Amino acid sequence: MFGRLEEELAALREHGIDCEVVPGVSAALAAAADTLRPLTRRGNGRSVSLTTAMTHLGTLHATRTADTEVFYMAGRQLAALSHKLREAGWPDDTPVSVVSRAGWPDARCTDHSVATLARPARSMPIGRPW
């Protein structure tokens, strides 16, 4: 979803390397499947926003533009994200799932609220140890 496909394809073309792009499942859909939680719900969840938590300038940005907000690559910014979500009008008791390694056998998920979002930063490894 938020990769560098365009830049990577340009670099491959520049070096005369043929490639094939294979579509995959987004982390948001994999996380929804892993947690058995839909991104939308009939009657009260008609929209989803997929965004990166950090802007290209390195600042944290959070909004309330959809019924469900999915923030990619926010793991190290959860305390700040909680603060920004509150500023954007999300109630403290809004349910939040934090998923790391979505779609993989070693996926991890913790459940929180907007108010307790900072807790997984201390209890869950973020990212993949390549």
Side-chain angles (χ1 to χ4, degrees), residues 34 99-109 124-125 127-130:
D34 285 346
V99 181
S100 179
R101 305 176 196 143
W104 291 85
D106 60 345
R108 300 246 178 130
C109 177
M124 186 164 87
R128 179 165 297 285
W130 298 108

Side-chain angles (χ1 to χ4, degrees), residues 20-130:
E20 176 182 1
V21 177
V22 178
V25 175
S26 73
L29 293 177
D34 285 346
T35 62
L36 302 179
R37 292 199 177 125
L39 294 175
T40 61
R41 286 196 169 90
R42 187 186 316 261
N44 67 354
R46 300 172 356 118
S47 59
V48 177
S49 172
L50 307 175
T51 186
T52 57
M54 301 297 287
T55 70
H56 70 286
L57 299 175
T59 58
L60 184 69
H61 183 72
T63 61
R64 188 168 186 177
T65 59
D67 298 318
T68 301
E69 299 282 345
V70 176
F71 295 97
Y72 280 78
M73 302 169 284
R76 297 191 194 329
Q77 304 295 326
L78 295 178
L81 182 58
S82 172
H83 179 72
K84 290 287 189 179
L85 290 171
R86 288 169 158 162
E87 285 181 352
W90 289 94
D92 281 350
D93 63 349
T94 302
V96 176
S97 293
V98 176
V99 181
S100 179
R101 305 176 196 143
W104 291 85
D106 60 345
R108 300 246 178 130
C109 177
T110 55
D111 296 319
H112 306 275
S113 67
V114 166
T116 65
L117 185 54
R119 291 185 187 155
R122 295 185 297 270
S123 64
M124 186 164 87
I126 302 297
R128 179 165 297 285
W130 298 108

Side-chain angles (χ1 to χ4, degrees), residues 1-19:
M1 180 69 60
F2 293 102
R4 301 176 308 238
L5 179 62
E6 186 175 29
E7 294 96 345
E8 291 167 353
L9 290 173
L12 291 169
R13 275 192 297 273
E14 181 180 319
H15 290 90
I17 300 171
D18 290 331
C19 68

